[in-house]
Amino acid sequence: MAKKKTISESSNPKKNKSEVSVGVVGSGSFATAIVKMLVENCKVVHWCVRSEFVKGAIELRGHNPTYLTAVNFNLKNLKLTTDINELVTACDIIVLATPSIYLSDTLDKMTCDYKDKIFVSAIKGIIPKVNDVVAHYLRDEFQIGFRNQAVIAGPCHAEEVAMERLSYLTVATVEDEVSEKLLNIFNSDFIKVHSSKDILGNEYSAILKNIFAIGAGIASGLGYGDNFTAVFVSNAIREMETFLEAIYEAPRDVNESAYLGDLLVTAYSLFSRNRSLGNLIGKGYTVKSAIQSMNMVAEGYYAANSIYKTAKQKNLKLPIVDTIYGILYEGKNAEKQFKKLTAKLN
């Protein structure tokens, strides 16, 4: 039987690995994928997981017991902990990869000195505690300025990273030095990284595309075909542009991969948890039962409430967002709402 390849066995084993001290907070599928990316380039990756059970299972078996279980780690490349303070103290770069609904509980335990640390958000959702994006939450609650922040955007499904299928990341940060560091530790044979300075635009677009993906899933569950989905996504990217311009004007092109590309993969891919949630709703599941049937968090559900209210405050016309909000939060019938929506799309 062939020896199972571990992620420490890089396709370029002679490559000099970075000494940069980097850590990942979270133990879900994307957090696991990010650890996989980082061990390609870093001698050691610190990893803060949610429980002693997860920590012990990884130390015993060499893989996450729940998510991306086929990804095997060489434990020499990892320093595992369940203590956020231990990780932050040890690292200069901290990648936040928990579901948005759990981030505040995680960071509220942070009592160590985090001045001059770089915090990288791989979270594509709204923080319920403050009803705001991660960038603002870190700035307002922890006084972590944008110069010490970065945002990771896709298109990059964790499952394809696990299979080492070529994937693309966009790293958004205002500091060139931070951008260079992040490009160096994420770039690999199967990860291509591009830079951006549009922190808020990348973060909001990652949130919006999850809402739109729920809609694409509902359409699929209702029996709409590829022709409708193409029109739906075409309208969705225009709604995204309208929202981003109203929130934060910047010299951005929404046709770039971090915006349109991430929307496309999330709306169409069978790996998309948001599309999967929508598909269940379209097939007749109640919203509550659809959420309960999933073993991963669909960020679009929580984001829809916040984005809808923000759009109303700014008097934005976003018929897709309105439709998804009505189905998720007002109990409106998905079939009837999508029939109305078809008359508004072009």
Side-chain angles (χ1 to χ4, degrees):
M1 182 180 292
K3 180 183 177 183
K4 199 169 187 180
K5 180 183 177 184
T6 65
I7 63 172
S8 64
E9 293 170 344
S10 170
S11 55
N12 184 7
K14 295 183 179 180
K15 177 171 59 178
N16 291 324
K17 293 194 173 186
S18 173
E19 298 281 359
V20 66
S21 56
V22 59
V24 178
V25 180
S27 49
S29 59
F30 199 43
T32 305
I34 289 172
V35 174
K36 175 176 174 57
M37 297 178 205
L38 292 172
V39 295
E40 288 288 311
N41 298 313
C42 302
K43 286 188 175 181
V44 175
V45 176
H46 298 258
W47 192 1
C48 182
V49 297
R50 67 176 178 268
S51 69
E52 288 293 338
F53 166 76
V54 174
K55 178 175 178 288
I58 296 173
E59 290 174 336
L60 179 65
R61 303 294 184 186
H63 65 78
N64 190 323
T66 308
Y67 302 101
L68 303 188
T69 56
V71 177
N72 287 274
F73 294 95
N74 185 332
L75 296 176
K76 293 180 180 179
N77 298 126
L78 301 179
K79 285 191 177 180
L80 290 154
T81 183
T82 58
D83 184 349
I84 181 70
N85 288 294
E86 181 180 334
L87 179 134
V88 173
T89 300
C91 297
D92 295 321
I93 298 173
I94 298 97
V95 182
L96 304 173
T98 68
S100 62
I101 58 175
Y102 303 134
L103 181 64
S104 59
D105 289 341
T106 301
L107 292 189
D108 282 348
K109 299 172 185 175
M110 189 170 64
T111 58
C112 62
D113 181 12
Y114 50 83
K115 183 181 179 181
D116 299 327
K117 308 283 186 176
I118 304 300
F119 287 81
V120 183
S121 173
I123 299 168
K124 301 178 180 181
I126 296 290
I127 308 302
K129 180 179 179 180
V130 294
N131 195 36
D132 210 340
V133 294
V134 175
H136 287 158
Y137 175 66
L138 294 177
R139 180 196 64 188
D140 298 340
E141 298 293 321
F142 296 92
Q143 291 72 56
I144 300 170
F146 283 2
R147 292 184 180 279
N148 289 82
Q149 289 193 42
V151 170
I152 293 176
C156 194
H157 275 313
E159 293 81 0
E160 293 202 354
V161 173
M163 293 182 278
E164 298 192 1
R165 290 181 175 175
L166 182 61
S167 301
Y168 290 74
L169 287 179
T170 296
V171 172
T173 179
V174 298
E175 290 291 328
D176 291 338
E177 182 180 351
V178 174
S179 178
E180 184 176 352
K181 286 181 180 178
L182 295 176
L183 264 61
N184 286 337
I185 62 175
F186 279 105
N187 249 321
S188 71
D189 291 337
F190 59 92
I191 301 292
K192 305 301 178 187
V193 188
H194 299 280
S195 62
S196 168
K197 293 187 181 296
D198 186 17
I199 289 180
L200 289 177
N202 275 271
E203 186 162 24
Y204 271 112
S205 67
I207 292 167
L208 285 161
K209 57 93 177 177
N210 285 331
I211 301 171
F212 298 140
I214 290 176
I218 292 174
S220 176
L222 289 170
Y224 288 88
D226 293 342
N227 293 336
F228 173 80
T229 303
V231 174
F232 177 89
V233 173
S234 176
N235 281 261
I237 192 63
R238 282 175 267 163
E239 286 196 19
M240 181 184 290
E241 185 171 28
T242 297
F243 186 91
L244 294 181
E245 289 180 352
I247 291 294
Y248 176 67
E249 290 188 8
R252 69 174 66 90
D253 181 357
V254 295
N255 294 314
E256 291 179 351
S257 297
Y259 311 96
L260 178 58
D262 208 3
L263 169 60
L264 288 171
V265 75
T266 312
Y268 282 100
S269 175
L270 297 179
F271 290 131
S272 169
R273 65 192 72 175
N274 290 281
R275 177 188 165 91
S276 296
L277 175 64
N279 189 56
L280 292 173
I281 295 170
K283 289 182 179 296
Y285 284 65
T286 66
V287 174
K288 183 177 180 180
S289 63
I291 292 172
Q292 290 177 339
S293 70
M294 300 183 65
N295 67 344
M296 293 189 290
V297 175
E299 294 281 13
Y301 170 76
Y302 301 96
N305 183 40
S306 176
I307 295 296
Y308 172 83
K309 291 177 179 177
T310 301
K312 289 304 177 187
Q313 290 171 358
K314 294 184 174 295
N315 296 314
L316 302 178
K317 293 183 178 179
L318 306 176
I320 295 177
V321 170
D322 293 347
T323 298
I324 305 308
Y325 175 84
I327 294 169
L328 296 181
Y329 287 93
E330 297 178 335
K332 294 183 178 179
N333 179 271
E335 185 174 6
K336 291 180 179 178
Q337 292 307 302
F338 262 70
K339 188 172 183 180
K340 291 179 181 179
L341 180 63
T342 60
K344 301 175 183 178
L345 303 182
N346 59 71

